[in-house]
Amino acid sequence: MTSKSIVEDVRKVFNSGRTLNVDFRKAQLRSLQKMYLEHKDDFCSALASDLHKPAHEAIVLELNLVIGDIDHILARIDNWVQPEKVPRNLLTIFDTPMIYNDPYGVVLIMGAWNYPVQLGLLPLAGAIAAGNCVVVKPSEHAPAVSSLIARLLPKFIDNECYQVVEGGVPETTELLKERFDYIFFTGSSHVGKIVQRAAAEHLTPTTLELGGKSPVYLDDTVNLDIATRRIMWGKLINCGQTCIAPDYLLCSKTVQEAFVAKAREVINEFYGEDPKASPDYCRIVAERHVDRLSEYLKDGTVVVGGEVDKKQKYFAPTILTDVSPTSKVMTEEIFGPILPIVNVENVHDAIKFIKTRPGEPLALYIFSSSKPTLKHLAHDLPAGGMAVNDVIFHAAVPELPFGGVGSSGMGAYHGHFSFLTFTHRKSCLHRNYNPIAEWIGSKRYPPYTPKNTQF
Ligand code: NAD
């Protein structure tokens, strides 16, 4: 089938009104959960095959996140779909001003390969909840997960309302020629611009979940034992291939010394003497990315790690010091297990450093127990989201919107924010023929006289 015919078919089903029924949406969401629960092992195997992802990370950071988000949606969807009455004012005192929560229609969801289950299916859950029909395009760079999703989805959810298109750049390019009512894209800023240009052709609204460099500021007021464990965990899960992984660290020279010593211990504790032999350490997705990451090793002094095995797509947990702010490792999104450290004297230097770098961080991490420091950083810096004294975890809270700002993206999702993302809020002013309301409103009618022009 061509992209054109797929989108036409899906649009016909949307126009039939099938997805407007809220019980239908709830049944689909429950089936989606059933799919995960019945095929948990298949998902874990596919993630292991694509990324060497340990089952623990597959379950905690992908499957459970989707199941939890759907639980959150199912518990609240009956309220969310209700038309909302808004307060009246003098002019609408006899009327009913309302907001209806309408689905957009036919949605395209494009996922990335690094968390290929949750990045495709979390937005799918939101789009289903909001009553849309959906075309899902999983990433071709996680082929085992892509084909599993293509095989399983039609068995569990309505295969006319929700379709999967597999493929890479040519298939995506064809899809993007079609008119969708909403496009939800997760990936790089470079392809985000391509998607945005294609969407502009049809004036299609978009959510862009992009990448960037997420800084960590660490001062000397923290519990370094806990802070180092949290930072290294966030950096090393999925071998650093996490959009909100701590990208680089800002701290004083003294804190750096203590941090590096602690980080060595933590890596050993997590993965043993030889992380390559650890079943808990992932691999880099492709050899070309191993090459890309290897280039970064030239940008500083390797004080931890640095071992690479291209054939096995292995890249050791690595820390770099003495990096120049203008080097590649400090100007490109790292997306791998390398943590460069840049020295700053205080919070003001940290703010200045982050502010003068191109691009807005997708995540900002502050490790400090100093209230003035927290206040400065939280208020003075733009970021898609932030966490204080931890990393990554803010993305697992369904009550918080997850998304970027500026170059790290636009729009947000998770929980209610997914529902709102895929919902058009249609305003409606319901009036009646009340004679007093008509008398109040009659000033609008011509002929315009000085009297009816005085408001
Ligand atoms: P990517 O942008 O390279 O590719 C995404 C998809 O776009 C691909 O699967 C491909 O099908 C399609 N594509 C690629 N080139 C194209 C082209 N020229 N024309 C049309 N379509 C094209 O991203 P990726 O490598 O899959 O993911 C890595 C990036 O995603 C990183 O920057 C990361 O930070 C970001 N990311 C962001 C989030 C988030 O939630 N904000 C989550 C995960 C990853």
Side-chain angles (χ1 to χ4, degrees), residues 113-114 119 137 140 172 186-188 191 209-211 243 333 402:
W113 52 263
N114 56 335
L119 294 177
K137 214 294 283 170
E140 72 279 22
T172 313
T186 304
S188 63
V191 181
E209 296 284 344
L210 310 176
C243 58
E333 181 182 10
F402 178 78

Side-chain angles (χ1 to χ4, degrees), residues 69-100:
D69 208 70
I70 295 177
D71 276 340
H72 184 88
I73 293 173
L74 283 170
R76 293 161 181 82
I77 186 171
D78 286 325
N79 283 337
W80 295 346
V81 296
Q82 295 305 321
E84 295 162 42
K85 285 188 181 169
V86 300
R88 297 167 175 164
N89 61 34
L90 257 185
L91 271 180
T92 58
I93 200 142
F94 298 106
D95 309 325
T96 315
M98 307 275 292
I99 299 171
Y100 288 96

Side-chain angles (χ1 to χ4, degrees), residues 267-424:
I267 293 166
N268 200 303
E269 186 190 319
F270 285 176
Y271 305 111
E273 280 290 331
D274 179 14
K276 197 173 175 185
S278 167
D280 298 334
Y281 191 62
C282 290
R283 292 296 181 266
I284 300 300
V285 69
E287 286 188 9
R288 71 186 169 91
H289 284 292
V290 178
D291 288 339
R292 180 182 61 80
L293 291 165
S294 301
E295 284 294 304
Y296 294 150
L297 296 179
K298 298 175 190 158
D299 290 344
T301 309
V302 178
V303 289
V304 174
E307 301 83 17
V308 180
D309 181 340
K310 188 172 168 182
K311 274 227 159 77
Q312 287 200 28
K313 292 184 266 183
Y314 169 76
F315 207 104
T318 298
I319 297 180
L320 289 184
T321 57
D322 311 313
V323 288
S324 150
T326 53
S327 60
K328 272 188 165 186
V329 77
M330 284 307 299
T331 48
E332 297 174 357
E333 181 182 10
I334 297 172
F335 225 56
I338 303 175
L339 184 69
I341 305 180
V342 173
N343 295 138
V344 289
E345 283 310 311
N346 52 43
V347 64
H348 303 289
D349 286 355
I351 291 174
K352 200 168 153 201
F353 184 89
I354 297 168
K355 266 195 173 166
T356 50
R357 323 233 13 109
E360 292 78 7
L362 181 58
L364 170 67
Y365 299 122
I366 309 164
F367 284 77
S368 173
S369 304
S370 150
K371 280 194 178 149
T373 296
L374 293 176
K375 202 169 156 216
H376 275 310
L377 279 157
H379 291 286
D380 285 4
L381 288 172
M386 62 182 281
V388 174
N389 294 324
D390 211 335
V391 296
I392 312 278
F393 252 73
H394 63 297
V397 179
E399 287 81 6
L400 291 175
F402 178 78
V405 62
S407 62
S408 57
M410 58 182 81
Y413 70 130
H414 290 189
H416 194 200
F417 301 96
S418 297
F419 178 84
L420 293 175
T421 286
F422 294 109
T423 294
H424 169 61

Side-chain angles (χ1 to χ4, degrees), residues 9-29:
D9 287 354
V10 174
R11 189 170 294 286
K12 265 186 216 147
V13 191
F14 178 75
N15 288 339
S16 75
R18 193 183 303 173
T19 56
L20 298 184
N21 182 308
V22 179
D23 287 332
F24 172 84
R25 301 181 204 175
K26 288 198 274 189
Q28 301 302 310
L29 291 170

Side-chain angles (χ1 to χ4, degrees), residues 146-342:
S146 175
S147 73
L148 186 65
I149 288 175
R151 183 165 66 78
L152 291 182
L153 267 192
K155 289 188 183 157
F156 283 85
I157 58 176
D158 189 304
N159 63 6
E160 290 182 325
C161 298
Y162 316 110
Q163 300 227 9
V164 182
V165 173
E166 285 194 276
V169 177
E171 290 78 5
T172 313
T173 306
E174 281 309 301
L175 269 177
L176 286 172
K177 288 179 187 161
E178 299 306 314
R179 184 174 81 78
F180 290 92
D181 301 303
Y182 203 94
I183 297 178
F184 187 103
F185 170 77
T186 304
S188 63
S189 305
H190 169 69
V191 181
K193 288 179 191 169
I194 295 173
V195 171
Q196 191 74 327
R197 275 185 220 114
E201 211 38 57
H202 300 287
L203 294 176
T204 300
T206 55
T207 289
L208 302 179
E209 296 284 344
L210 310 176
K213 292 181 88 64
S214 299
V216 184
Y217 174 65
L218 179 66
D219 73 9
D220 57 3
T221 65
V222 299
N223 176 329
L224 202 67
D225 277 2
I226 296 179
T228 311
R229 283 164 70 86
R230 291 180 180 174
I231 294 168
M232 293 315 289
W233 170 80
K235 183 72 194 181
L236 298 176
I237 48 168
N238 212 28
C239 210
Q241 302 162 114
T242 303
C243 58
I244 49 171
D247 188 276
Y248 62 92
L249 186 62
L250 295 171
C251 63
S252 69
K253 193 115 185 142
T254 320
V255 172
Q256 172 183 303
E257 271 167 34
F259 177 86
V260 170
K262 189 76 212 159
R264 269 197 206 99
E265 284 173 30
V266 167
I267 293 166
N268 200 303
E269 186 190 319
F270 285 176
Y271 305 111
E273 280 290 331
D274 179 14
K276 197 173 175 185
S278 167
D280 298 334
Y281 191 62
C282 290
R283 292 296 181 266
I284 300 300
V285 69
E287 286 188 9
R288 71 186 169 91
H289 284 292
V290 178
D291 288 339
R292 180 182 61 80
L293 291 165
S294 301
E295 284 294 304
Y296 294 150
L297 296 179
K298 298 175 190 158
D299 290 344
T301 309
V302 178
V303 289
V304 174
E307 301 83 17
V308 180
D309 181 340
K310 188 172 168 182
K311 274 227 159 77
Q312 287 200 28
K313 292 184 266 183
Y314 169 76
F315 207 104
T318 298
I319 297 180
L320 289 184
T321 57
D322 311 313
V323 288
S324 150
T326 53
S327 60
K328 272 188 165 186
V329 77
M330 284 307 299
T331 48
E332 297 174 357
E333 181 182 10
I334 297 172
F335 225 56
I338 303 175
L339 184 69
I341 305 180
V342 173

